Amino acid sequence: MQFCCHYRIGYSERLVFFRYPKNSFTPLLQTRQPQIQFVQNFHLGTSLDSASYTNLLQSSTRAGSLIHGKLVHAHMIKTSYNSCLFLQNNLLNMYCKCGEMDMARRLFDRMPKQDIISWNSLVSGYSQMGFNAQAMDVFSEARMAHVKLDNFTYASTLSICARTGDLKLGKLVHGLIIVSGVSLRVFLTNSLMDMYSKCGRIDQARFLFDKSDELDDVSWNSLISGYVRMGSNEEMTRLLIRMHQSGLKLNSYALGSVLKACCTGFDGSKAFGEMLHGCVAKLGLDMDVFVGTALLDMYAKTGDLDNATQIFKLMPNQNVVMYNAMIAGFFRTGTENCDEFANEALNLFSDMQRRGMKPSKFTFSSILKACNAVEAFDYGKQIHAHIFKNNLQSDEFIGSALVELYSMSGSAEDGLRCFHSTPKLDIVSWTSMIAGYIQNGQFEHALSLFYELLASRGKPDEFTISSVLSACANLAAARSGEQIQGYAVKTGTGKFTIVQNSQICMYAKSGDIDSANLTFKEAENRDVVSWSVMISSHAQHGCAREALRLFELMKNYGIAPNQITFLGVLTACSHGGLVDEGFRYFESMKKDHSITSNVKHCSCIVDLLGRAGRLADAESFILNSGFEDDPIMWRALLGGCRVHGDTIIGERVAKRVIELEPQAAASYVLLYNIYSDAGIQLPATQIRDLMKDRGVKKEPGLSWIEFGKTVHSFVVGDRSHPKCQLIYAKLEEMSEKIRKLGYLLDASEQEQDSTVVNYHSEKLAVTFGIISLPKAAPVRVMKNLRVCRDCHTTMKFISMVEGREIILRDPIRFHRFREGSCSCSDYW
């Protein structure tokens, strides 16, 4: 059905076409007499009276039916009905409430006369649609037209200021209210209080509350919500008690707001929340969806999953918000039963699916985190498919969780695709991707992405800085780390403990223990991580006594050690050969601190005994440790067998560790070295042949050094470096000097190709550092494999003949060579 009408208002005339299906208006107008009359008159082309049109427009507004409202409007135009201001305001209100603001504005502009109701309808319509700037423009037009504004106009304007957080404009409107002499009705006072509290001025909201002669429950609820929003829990509690004492009935809104505050975990929050739960049950609001959800969320966020589960099961109408609260609660609980709780979260998600509920963005974000917690990567990929199905892949929180999922599963490339497919990248997304690269050992990519973030004018937070400093630590890129530290200080993120801890670790792993010490001393809020990092750093640098001194000082400061702290202490004892101290701390860990030892702690004890030559004791310890099937333990003992040249125990241990880890090259290499050191060549050759038969490949040695803005990497016999001729010439020169001092190639190494031994990767990297760095600068080189005996001895001689300090880091510890000696005292 099509209507063609001349739309005439005032002196303007317009041709309007309306197309609607036949009888589309009939369902709305089939019971009451005016509606039946409208249907008849529509076909006859005769007009109705003002009351009938008003009734029909108000019915359309209440029903939110824009199509039926337009039909009424079309009939008015078709019959050339000359509407009064009251009817035009109803028509304007219909368009505003139905969200048709373009039509509302055109109608408003063509009205021969407008009153305050017309202006209020337009301001309110723009405000409800979120068109804040247009609403404020209409407000300004009304003032310029000298319209006498009323309480409703100011209330709508104040709601816009509250929504946008525009305190300056809100104060201006408040001033206009005072100047205009408008009486402060209670709803206008509430609007002012809401504006001030949402703009962060809870003191002004409280002033209005205390000075007002007329208050209602909205006033109390508005102020309580303001205190909750500001985190003023003590004031919130007092106000709630005062409200109860005043005889006002606590409603679901007030209770929901206060229960939300209890989720923050302020002092006494759990007891206060439980008291409110009793009050809720007494008022009969425990079955209210809003209050029940708030109660469930409170218990879930405070770790009381038993009560949360009970409330969840008792609620008659479980909705998505409740499921979200339970899923997040199970995931959030950081206990030893983390895997069990994460699986419960996954079961809840499956239950949602069976019940036909549509998950929200928060649901998917939480369930992806649960998948990461239990490493359920295949399940996570199925969730990813659901996300695509629901077209939610563009959400930044979901994008960050997907990046984390794929990065943890070892697929940084898929994580990068999720990262690039997220249109709105926030700092969490960037940090997740940087952390993903680090987790997969792609430290250079992590640094590149960080610089890309800075180039895009993003603002890294303390977690981003901490992550990228971790990348520098793993690369031993001290210069890059120093630049990032400078950026952190400049932006104010350097004061965070998490950044300072990463900074300590970066300097320590780069071989600069002095700068790590300085950062540690300058840190204001040193936590258990700060102390643990310093203890572990001193242990790796061979400063065992200093590590133990720090541990005792840490206890004097009242900071309780954790598993990582004791791992650093036991490592220090192992590297320092402190057998008695090591056993004393191992016993103290269980007896005095109730910390259960794990395989890493036990392997430190094995290493400690092995280095001290107590190989039989070490083997007995493994068999009684409960970790006798873990190859780490046996490999630690195998290292001790090589140190002391025990081929009998070494052969037996090697067979055990090869049985447990048949494809791990390290065990074969250690056994080969034991035979080779003892001069037993036939078994050594057999071990090498066995590796070939089983397809076990030894990881190639790689050493690297940072110079300028570049990390220079070397492999054995490497001639790809632009300065290779200078490097080899300098290395030959230094080799000649140390030969004159009487150094000969180790007997076990002479059997190998002397060219290979002479040009090991760490020798090439150290030589490059010597020819490139100033003489006063230490040469810091990192290596992915343990340093061999020949290279260790060579470094001692080079440090003596060149007068240089050489710092060499292997996967286990640091070797600091000065004037012909090493910090490890040849005990490694």
Side-chain angles (χ1 to χ4, degrees):
M1 183 184 297
Q2 173 175 303
F3 305 107
C4 179
C5 307
H6 283 84
Y7 185 178
R8 184 190 299 274
I9 297 181
Y11 293 100
S12 61
E13 187 172 3
R14 185 177 180 191
L15 191 64
V16 181
F17 287 90
F18 296 91
R19 290 186 178 88
Y20 299 109
K22 186 177 181 180
N23 297 328
S24 62
F25 48 83
T26 305
L28 183 70
L29 312 170
Q30 61 184 0
T31 56
R32 297 168 60 185
Q33 185 63 34
Q35 296 164 340
I36 296 172
Q37 184 182 353
F38 171 73
V39 176
Q40 295 171 345
N41 291 343
F42 194 95
H43 292 291
L44 294 173
T46 57
S47 62
L48 302 176
D49 57 17
S50 179
S52 298
Y53 280 128
T54 301
N55 186 28
L56 291 165
L57 286 172
Q58 290 177 351
S59 297
S60 302
T61 304
R62 284 192 298 270
S65 177
L66 177 64
I67 187 170
H68 295 114
K70 283 186 174 181
L71 279 170
V72 177
H73 190 190
H75 189 268
M76 293 166 61
I77 297 169
K78 181 180 179 182
T79 59
S80 300
Y81 183 77
N82 188 16
S83 56
C84 63
L85 179 59
F86 178 77
L87 184 56
Q88 288 175 337
N89 282 338
N90 273 278
L91 184 60
L92 178 65
N93 184 54
M94 183 275 297
Y95 280 120
C96 289
K97 291 289 175 63
C98 291
E100 189 74 16
M101 293 309 300
D102 290 339
M103 193 67 178
R105 182 71 213 208
R106 288 198 295 270
L107 179 64
F108 178 86
D109 290 339
R110 288 180 171 85
M111 290 172 63
K113 183 182 178 182
Q114 302 105 347
D115 60 3
I116 187 60
I117 296 174
S118 314
W119 291 96
N120 286 347
S121 294
L122 202 58
V123 172
S124 178
Y126 278 125
S127 177
Q128 289 174 1
M129 292 296 294
F131 300 147
N132 302 316
Q134 291 90 327
M136 293 308 302
D137 288 342
V138 175
F139 176 76
S140 300
E141 288 176 33
R143 291 193 63 240
M144 292 175 65
H146 302 290
V147 176
K148 189 176 181 180
L149 306 180
D150 61 7
N151 286 283
F152 298 100
T153 322
Y154 289 119
S156 295
T157 311
L158 287 169
S159 69
I160 296 169
C161 299
R163 194 181 307 126
T164 59
D166 194 337
L167 179 62
K168 185 177 179 181
L169 184 58
K171 284 183 174 181
L172 179 62
V173 175
H174 191 181
L176 290 173
I177 293 170
I178 296 171
V179 171
S180 65
V182 173
S183 60
L184 275 178
R185 301 286 297 274
V186 65
F187 76 88
L188 188 55
T189 302
N190 293 341
S191 296
L192 281 166
M193 288 171 55
D194 185 60
M195 182 273 296
Y196 279 118
S197 65
K198 286 181 178 176
C199 291
R201 292 302 303 271
I202 193 67
D203 54 334
Q204 290 286 347
R206 184 59 185 262
F207 178 81
L208 285 166
F209 180 85
D210 291 336
K211 295 297 180 182
S212 179
D213 296 328
E214 186 182 0
L215 296 172
D216 59 8
D217 58 342
V218 177
S219 312
W220 291 86
N221 291 336
S222 179
L223 193 58
I224 287 172
S225 298
Y227 281 127
V228 171
R229 194 180 299 109
M230 296 295 293
S232 303
N233 300 310
E234 188 175 342
E235 285 296 326
M236 173 269 297
T237 306
R238 289 175 184 170
L239 193 64
L240 186 73
I241 295 170
R242 183 179 159 190
M243 179 181 179
H244 182 63
Q245 291 172 344
S246 300
L248 290 172
K249 186 178 179 181
L250 299 175
N251 58 21
S252 59
Y253 184 83
L255 290 167
S257 297
V258 178
L259 286 168
K260 181 181 178 183
C262 294
C263 298
T264 60
F266 63 87
D267 290 341
S269 62
K270 188 172 182 181
F272 188 67
E274 290 172 348
M275 181 191 72
L276 283 175
H277 190 178
C279 184
V280 165
K282 186 177 179 181
L283 293 170
L285 292 173
D286 48 333
M287 292 295 105
D288 180 87
V289 174
F290 182 73
V291 177
T293 304
L295 273 171
L296 189 156
D297 193 45
M298 178 200 71
Y299 281 121
K301 286 182 177 176
T302 54
D304 191 348
L305 290 177
D306 291 335
N307 273 322
T309 304
Q310 286 182 5
I311 293 170
F312 179 77
K313 290 178 179 178
L314 288 172
M315 291 303 295
N317 299 311
Q318 296 164 343
N319 56 25
V320 173
V321 178
M322 293 179 187
Y323 271 92
N324 287 348
M326 282 305 302
I327 289 171
F330 278 123
F331 167 71
R332 193 181 292 111
T333 304
T335 67
E336 58 185 13
N337 298 321
C338 179
D339 288 358
E340 178 185 342
F341 287 138
N343 284 321
E344 286 291 338
L346 297 178
N347 291 335
L348 279 172
F349 180 77
S350 298
D351 190 42
M352 284 183 70
Q353 297 291 101
R354 284 192 295 270
R355 296 180 62 175
M357 290 185 176
K358 186 177 181 180
S360 66
K361 294 178 181 179
F362 186 80
T363 317
F364 284 120
S365 177
S366 297
I367 206 66
L368 283 171
K369 290 177 182 177
C371 292
N372 293 335
V374 295
E375 298 184 358
F377 303 127
D378 290 337
Y379 195 94
K381 290 175 182 178
Q382 294 176 34
I383 302 296
H384 192 179
H386 278 287
I387 290 167
F388 263 98
K389 184 179 178 181
N390 288 273
N391 196 29
L392 294 174
Q393 64 272 17
S394 61
D395 180 75
E396 59 268 27
F397 296 105
I398 291 176
S400 299
L402 284 170
V403 168
E404 186 179 356
L405 172 78
Y406 285 109
S407 298
M408 286 185 67
S409 66
S411 181
E413 293 77 13
D414 288 331
L416 187 63
R417 290 191 191 96
C418 294
F419 176 78
H420 285 312
S421 65
T422 306
K424 185 182 177 183
L425 291 170
D426 60 2
I427 193 59
V428 178
S429 306
W430 285 93
T431 306
S432 295
M433 193 62 239
I434 290 170
Y437 274 135
I438 294 169
Q439 193 166 13
N440 286 277
Q442 300 179 23
F443 308 116
E444 295 92 342
H445 287 99
L447 280 174
S448 299
L449 192 63
F450 175 73
Y451 294 134
E452 187 180 331
L453 168 63
L454 295 180
S456 66
R457 298 188 177 181
K459 294 183 179 180
D461 60 11
E462 63 272 22
F463 301 103
T464 320
I465 299 295
S466 174
S467 295
V468 78
L469 282 173
S470 175
C472 294
N474 283 282
L475 286 171
R479 185 173 295 274
S480 298
E482 287 171 353
Q483 293 173 349
I484 293 167
Q485 177 195 347
Y487 175 84
V489 172
K490 183 179 178 181
T491 57
T493 53
K495 64 176 184 275
F496 288 97
T497 303
I498 187 176
V499 174
Q500 292 170 336
N501 291 343
S502 297
Q503 188 178 318
I504 293 168
C505 187
M506 181 272 296
Y507 280 121
K509 286 191 173 181
S510 299
D512 192 351
I513 193 67
D514 296 329
S515 294
N517 268 320
L518 181 62
T519 305
F520 176 76
K521 290 176 181 177
E522 290 177 347
E524 295 180 2
N525 301 308
R526 290 177 291 197
D527 58 8
V528 64
V529 178
S530 314
W531 289 91
S532 299
V533 168
M534 279 309 301
I535 290 168
S536 299
S537 300
H538 280 292
Q540 284 188 321
H541 280 266
C543 309
R545 293 293 179 185
E546 179 62 17
L548 299 185
R549 186 191 72 81
L550 280 172
F551 178 70
E552 296 299 330
L553 187 62
M554 170 187 174
K555 291 193 294 184
N556 292 338
Y557 273 98
I559 297 175
N562 58 19
Q563 286 189 332
I564 305 298
T565 317
F566 273 105
L567 183 60
V569 169
L570 294 175
T571 302
C573 294
S574 174
H575 288 176
L578 308 175
V579 179
D580 294 336
E581 290 88 339
F583 270 99
R584 189 175 72 248
Y585 284 117
F586 185 72
E587 292 299 323
S588 173
M589 177 175 66
K590 295 180 285 186
K591 182 180 177 181
D592 302 329
H593 300 279
S594 301
I595 296 175
T596 304
S597 57
N598 58 31
V599 66
K600 291 183 179 179
H601 298 117
C602 292
S603 66
C604 282
I605 296 297
V606 174
D607 189 58
L608 178 65
L609 292 169
R611 289 173 186 272
R614 295 168 56 177
L615 302 177
D617 291 340
E619 188 173 8
S620 177
F621 179 85
I622 293 174
L623 295 173
N624 295 315
S625 66
F627 300 108
E628 63 272 12
D629 292 329
D630 197 306
I632 294 176
M633 303 284 283
W634 296 102
R635 199 180 302 120
L637 178 55
L638 191 59
C641 292
R642 188 202 174 184
V643 170
H644 295 283
D646 193 321
T647 56
I648 298 174
I649 296 179
E651 185 176 6
R652 184 170 68 247
V653 171
K655 288 180 180 178
R656 175 65 172 149
V657 74
I658 289 172
E659 178 186 333
L660 292 170
E661 252 184 347
Q663 292 300 312
S667 307
Y668 296 91
V669 173
L670 274 171
L671 183 57
Y672 171 84
N673 288 332
I674 290 173
Y675 286 131
S676 183
D677 292 346
I680 309 173
Q681 292 305 313
L682 182 59
T685 305
Q686 290 174 344
I687 289 295
R688 182 175 286 181
D689 293 339
L690 182 62
M691 289 180 68
K692 290 180 180 178
D693 294 340
R694 293 184 176 181
V696 179
K697 293 184 179 180
K698 178 178 176 290
E699 182 182 1
L702 177 68
S703 300
W704 64 94
I705 179 173
E706 185 185 23
F707 177 68
K709 295 182 179 180
T710 308
V711 175
H712 300 259
S713 300
F714 298 88
V715 295
V716 60
D718 198 339
R719 292 186 178 273
S720 62
H721 196 277
K723 292 186 177 181
C724 72
Q725 291 184 348
L726 290 174
I727 292 170
Y728 278 86
K730 181 64 178 177
L731 182 56
E732 288 296 335
E733 177 192 324
M734 293 188 298
S735 298
E736 183 62 30
K737 288 180 181 179
I738 65 176
R739 275 194 292 269
K740 289 180 180 179
L741 292 176
Y743 173 67
L744 295 175
L745 194 63
D746 197 309
S748 63
E749 307 286 357
Q750 290 177 1
E751 301 297 329
Q752 301 181 41
D753 185 349
S754 61
T755 304
V756 172
V757 176
N758 286 334
Y759 302 135
H760 274 183
S761 61
E762 56 265 55
K763 291 181 180 178
L764 298 175
V766 166
T767 306
F768 171 74
I770 288 173
I771 65 175
S772 303
L773 295 167
K775 191 158 187 174
V779 179
R780 295 191 176 91
V781 172
M782 311 300 141
K783 182 174 170 61
N784 65 330
L785 301 178
R786 298 291 298 273
V787 60
C788 70
R789 288 184 179 180
D790 175 70
C791 288
H792 191 269
T793 306
T794 302
M795 295 304 164
K796 291 197 293 184
F797 275 95
I798 290 176
S799 69
M800 182 169 56
V801 298
E802 292 293 324
R804 302 293 294 262
E805 179 182 5
I806 300 170
I807 300 170
L808 177 62
R809 187 189 86 184
D810 66 19
I812 304 298
R813 65 179 302 160
F814 277 88
H815 301 268
R816 196 166 190 164
F817 302 95
R818 285 178 178 171
E819 298 177 355
S821 63
C822 180
S823 59
C824 73
S825 301
D826 298 337
Y827 191 85
W828 90 101

